[in-house]
Amino acid sequence: MHRKLSNIFYEVRDPVLGWDDIGGYADVKETLKEMVCLPLQKPELLKQHNLGIPAGVMLWGPLGTGITMLAEACAREAGVSFVYISGQEMLGKGPELIEAFDCAIHEAPCVLFISDCEWLAPRAGCDYEWSPGNLRAVPPTFADKDLTRLFIEQVDRINQVQNVMLLGSCYRIDTVDQALIKEKKRYNRKVFVHPPTAVDRRGMLNIYMDKMPNLAPGIDRQELAELSEGYVGWDIESLCKRATVNAIKTDSATVTREHFLRAVKEVRCFLTPDMTAKYHQIRDTDCPHHYEF
């Protein structure tokens, strides 16, 4: 039975979202099924094969791509509880952070997911620029050294507990304290949730367009996926809403291709070309070993 919670800093719930609720990212989903779900589903078999279980898995990539949803889908796939800690909301709340980790221990077996790890454990002196002058998505504030130390202590504590699968997220892996991601007993595995490709954007479009009640037939979704370079999930959602607004403004009973094409010109993409290039540069120069089981 889940503990009843009365705060917004963390929550415990039975996972509802599954893989089919998340558009695109077939490659990421397959990696998560191996790194996160298998250790929870078949721990004894992994031991028989002498295959070490990841201590923690850090998902990193652009905001708005559904990383929290992916973490919840892992819990549902594994058939365990989902414990979610908001790194942003935990700033200045040391006792609540300990309480949240206590809750994960109580809930085992579970997936413990901590978002925004770069807020809780920032890397000193790192460069947040994508290119000269572009600081998009830089966290506005960070944990102090005492909270960072406490956070790392809690990560070490949770890794002594069986059947708690530790997940985290950050928007750039190079902005996280190296003590958190280099130590083998902490977040020793990484999953790159890359900028959405056209295939991923097509999957996202399917999620939102399938929910539109008055969609005109014959709209080429692949065309929209290719036109929406730089869009993340929340941009795709905005695109569908803007196309609907365009239809309403013209008193149209259906949302047509023309409404979508107009919307593409109106919805600003989150990812700029230099951000996309920088994401792939960071991944290409990172140690490949950490991305394998």
Side-chain angles (χ1 to χ4, degrees):
M1 182 123 181
H2 302 317
R3 292 178 178 176
K4 292 184 178 180
L5 307 177
S6 57
N7 57 63
I8 62 171
F9 315 131
Y10 65 92
E11 62 178 312
V12 181
R13 62 176 182 261
D14 291 321
V16 175
L17 297 174
W19 304 117
D20 292 341
D21 297 309
I22 306 163
Y25 288 116
D27 54 339
V28 172
K29 293 173 184 176
E30 190 60 33
T31 299
L32 290 173
K33 289 177 184 178
E34 294 177 358
M35 278 195 185
V36 180
C37 301
L38 274 182
L40 287 166
Q41 293 170 317
K42 302 180 179 182
E44 295 303 322
L45 197 54
L46 265 64
K47 289 180 182 178
Q48 288 179 26
H49 286 278
N50 197 28
L51 189 61
I53 295 175
V57 180
M58 183 69 73
L59 290 75
W60 69 279
L63 303 177
T65 53
I67 287 178
T68 300
M69 298 170 68
L70 287 165
E72 182 172 348
C74 288
R76 182 175 176 182
E77 172 86 4
V80 299
S81 298
F82 182 59
V83 182
Y84 168 56
I85 299 176
S86 169
Q88 297 184 29
E89 299 293 343
M90 277 295 175
L91 295 186
K93 301 180 180 69
E96 289 85 353
L97 182 63
I98 295 173
E99 179 184 336
F101 275 83
D102 287 342
C103 236
I105 294 171
H106 171 80
E107 286 293 321
C110 68
V111 166
L112 169 59
F113 173 66
I114 305 154
S115 69
D116 308 304
C117 287
E118 71 272 40
W119 292 55
L120 287 172
R123 183 178 184 179
C126 68
D127 178 12
Y128 289 93
E129 280 192 323
W130 301 99
S131 64
N134 186 353
L135 291 168
R136 183 171 292 188
V138 174
T141 186
F142 302 97
D144 57 30
K145 292 182 179 179
D146 289 339
L147 186 62
T148 295
R149 183 175 62 252
L150 178 62
F151 174 45
I152 293 176
E153 288 173 355
Q154 295 306 304
V155 168
D156 290 342
R157 178 167 73 104
I158 205 73
N159 272 323
Q160 306 300 315
V161 181
Q162 290 187 344
N163 296 324
V164 175
M165 196 66 209
L166 178 65
L167 272 66
S169 74
C170 61
Y171 86 112
R172 273 177 54 170
I173 198 67
D174 61 331
T175 65
V176 179
D177 190 330
Q178 296 298 286
L180 194 65
I181 57 176
K182 292 295 186 183
E183 168 60 47
K184 292 182 179 179
K185 294 181 180 179
R186 294 169 185 161
Y187 286 99
N188 64 339
R189 291 294 179 266
K190 305 171 187 175
V191 176
F192 180 36
V193 185
H194 48 77
T197 65
V199 174
D200 299 321
R201 296 192 296 274
R202 169 69 182 268
M204 296 172 183
L205 282 164
N206 288 340
I207 294 290
Y208 291 107
M209 292 178 74
D210 286 349
K211 297 177 182 177
M212 297 174 67
N214 300 308
L215 196 65
I219 296 176
D220 188 345
R221 299 186 184 191
Q222 186 60 33
E223 177 190 25
L224 295 176
E226 293 170 0
L227 289 172
S228 55
E229 179 72 30
Y231 280 32
V232 295
W234 60 36
D235 298 325
I236 296 294
E237 181 182 17
S238 295
L239 176 70
C240 294
K241 289 180 177 179
R242 173 49 54 183
T244 302
V245 169
N246 290 340
I248 294 170
K249 287 167 66 176
T250 58
D251 297 320
S252 176
T254 59
V255 183
T256 67
R257 174 178 179 270
E258 287 68 30
H259 297 135
F260 272 99
L261 294 180
R262 189 179 310 153
V264 167
K265 298 177 181 179
E266 296 169 328
V267 175
R268 180 187 178 195
C269 65
F270 173 71
L271 287 170
T272 56
D274 56 335
M275 291 173 71
T276 297
K278 184 73 171 183
Y279 267 118
H280 288 289
Q281 177 190 343
I282 294 169
R283 170 62 181 89
D284 290 344
T285 55
D286 202 5
C287 177
H289 169 71
H290 295 142
Y291 295 85
E292 301 294 335
F293 194 106

